[in-house]
Amino acid sequence: MAMKRINIRDLSLEEIEALISSLGKERYRARQIMKWLYSGGGVQSFEEMTTLSKPFRSQMEELAFIGLPEIEKIQASKDGTKKILFRLEDDLFIESVLIPGKNHWTACISTQVGCRMGCRFCLTARQGFRRNLRPSEITGQLEIILSSLPEGPNVRSIVLMGMGEPLANYRNTLKALGILTSDYGFGFSNRKITLSTCGVVPMIRQLGRDICINLAVSLNAPDDAVRNQLMPVNWKYPLESLLAACRDYPMPGRRMLTFEYILIDGVNASPAHAEMLSRLLRGIRCKLNLIRFNEFPGCPFKSPSEDTVLAFQQILVKHHFTAIIRASRGRDILAACGQLSGKALEENTSQCLV
């Protein structure tokens, strides 16, 4: 019975080294393969890796293949944001978002098909959980963006804030992060990568031990009572344990933790909530991203008024916090925070590019 071929892009440098060592080849060949995969224009076959001998290329073709997600559709928002729908090899779908900045673009990528965390304000959660993404599918979103889209060369930062909870797919996410930051991979600086979590406390602590990247915590409430209503994860990891892990998370130099706070009218956006939040975060070196709730069909929550958001921000500023009102990009194409669904047949009035 023939052995099933593996996707070489699912392997770390160390795993490729082990594989080719088992074939009697020099370990440095693994670095050559990595360069071809991630710095050589995204080759599609081992035959294109001309620094390897032909017999070795044939050996590798028998053992492995090079697989990437495929673009199914691209939608463009009025504000310049682009949402990319990817088809996976098992015909499931995920979404990534390209967010325009002043002189650069940010790629927002997914780590799971759907999500099992159940946050009540999130459209992805309503799709349920299908499966974890493999490392090749996580990094593959970026590979396609960099190599196939005109904005690709100007992508300067990466946020793991797409579909899914990255820390619930820890092993594959960590391997993908290693490839994203490796000199033999994509070569992104740790400073340019941010992982967003709803608060899986043990894995926050593990992440701090394994790799040094920026951490953004989806907080969304100033006390356990409100957070329990919005985020089921809080029943298992309440605020006391979450904030203890945040205080211990290593953020070198002048970097700060980010707390994301989605403001929902009548739920967590009052001046009293802002005062409680100020007390809760006292002593933590952090900044806050304030995000107006992005409405989507069938959700009971409403976005607060601009005056409500400004009043909330001013209270935090009064207590000496850096609080930024983050513009929600791509609302008109359901590409903003909490709106990704991975639906292949979704219809709306936005411009469809593919």
Side-chain angles (χ1 to χ4, degrees):
M1 183 176 176
M3 187 175 68
K4 184 179 179 182
R5 292 197 303 162
I6 57 174
N7 188 341
I8 194 72
R9 295 179 67 99
D10 282 327
L11 304 186
S12 65
L13 173 62
E14 294 74 20
E15 288 170 331
I16 298 175
E17 286 177 339
L19 175 65
I20 65 174
S21 291
S22 72
L23 302 176
K25 297 296 181 182
E26 307 91 337
R27 292 171 69 88
Y28 77 85
R29 297 292 183 188
R31 297 193 291 274
Q32 290 181 319
I33 291 172
M34 288 280 285
K35 283 288 189 181
W36 278 110
L37 290 173
Y38 302 108
S39 305
V43 297
Q44 299 299 306
S45 70
F46 290 99
E47 190 57 37
E48 298 174 68
M49 299 183 182
T50 52
T51 54
L52 308 179
S53 69
K54 284 191 174 182
F56 183 33
R57 280 179 263 167
S58 297
Q59 266 187 305
M60 291 302 297
E61 288 282 4
E62 292 176 5
L63 291 173
F65 67 97
I66 301 171
L68 287 167
E70 297 179 358
I71 293 178
E72 180 77 8
K73 182 169 69 172
I74 301 175
Q75 293 170 278
S77 167
K78 297 171 186 175
D79 62 25
T81 300
K82 287 189 175 180
K83 183 169 73 169
I84 305 102
L85 181 72
F86 286 103
R87 182 190 291 269
L88 307 177
E89 64 181 12
D90 54 2
D91 288 331
L92 294 176
F93 294 88
I94 54 172
E95 289 176 330
S96 303
V97 181
L98 263 178
I99 306 165
K102 269 191 176 180
N103 300 303
H104 72 284
W105 290 77
T106 295
C108 175
I109 60 179
S110 296
T111 54
Q112 295 180 310
V113 185
C115 185
R116 59 161 54 98
M117 305 313 291
C119 298
R120 292 185 62 211
F121 49 79
C122 180
L123 181 56
T124 305
R126 292 198 167 199
Q127 311 309 308
F129 174 75
R130 302 299 297 276
R131 68 172 174 85
N132 288 325
L133 293 185
R134 296 187 290 273
S136 60
E137 294 167 329
I138 298 173
T139 64
Q141 297 165 67
L142 182 67
E143 175 65 46
I144 298 298
I145 287 169
L146 294 180
S147 62
S148 302
L149 300 185
E151 300 83 5
N154 292 314
V155 170
R156 297 287 180 267
S157 56
I158 304 164
V159 292
L160 277 66
M161 295 183 184
M163 296 171 61
E165 165 55 58
L167 298 185
N169 182 19
Y170 188 76
R171 182 179 177 184
N172 290 342
T173 295
L174 183 65
K175 190 182 289 188
L177 287 170
I179 293 168
L180 291 173
T181 56
S182 169
D183 288 341
Y184 300 103
F186 288 92
F188 275 82
S189 165
N190 292 35
R191 290 176 172 270
K192 298 298 184 181
I193 300 178
T194 300
L195 181 147
S196 177
T197 177
C198 68
V200 186
V201 168
M203 305 321 296
I204 290 175
R205 293 189 176 279
Q206 187 63 47
L207 184 71
R209 291 190 288 267
D210 287 337
I211 193 168
C212 179
I213 59 170
N214 299 318
L215 182 68
V217 176
S218 186
L219 192 62
N220 309 317
D223 62 13
D224 284 323
V226 175
R227 201 166 192 264
N228 286 342
Q229 293 177 31
L230 295 174
M231 305 177 71
V233 70
N234 199 70
W235 290 98
K236 189 170 185 179
Y237 305 116
L239 284 171
E240 183 178 0
S241 63
L242 174 59
L243 295 182
C246 290
R247 288 186 178 93
D248 293 341
Y249 188 81
M251 293 292 287
R254 301 179 65 183
R255 283 192 275 174
M256 294 189 289
L257 280 168
T258 299
F259 288 105
E260 298 162 316
Y261 196 100
I262 296 174
L263 291 153
I264 303 171
D265 194 45
V267 176
N268 65 354
S270 71
H273 289 128
E275 292 286 356
M276 292 168 65
L277 183 62
S278 298
R279 292 192 294 271
L280 180 72
L281 299 182
R282 187 175 298 151
I284 301 179
R285 192 159 61 92
C286 64
K287 61 182 179 180
L288 291 105
N289 279 342
L290 305 179
I291 306 162
R292 290 176 67 184
F293 172 66
N294 294 304
E295 298 177 14
F296 55 83
C299 185
F301 298 133
K302 298 297 179 185
S303 180
S305 68
E306 186 174 341
D307 287 345
T308 297
V309 175
L310 288 171
F312 197 96
Q313 179 195 39
Q314 288 308 305
I315 290 171
L316 294 172
V317 170
K318 179 186 73 175
H319 289 287
H320 309 293
F321 286 97
T322 299
I324 301 162
I325 299 173
R326 200 176 89 189
S328 289
R329 300 280 193 167
R331 276 184 169 183
D332 56 316
I333 57 170
L334 293 182
C337 179
Q339 290 186 318
L340 299 186
S341 68
K343 283 190 175 181
L345 301 177
E346 187 173 75
E347 295 292 338
N348 57 46
T349 57
S350 61
Q351 180 184 4
C352 185
L353 303 182
V354 172

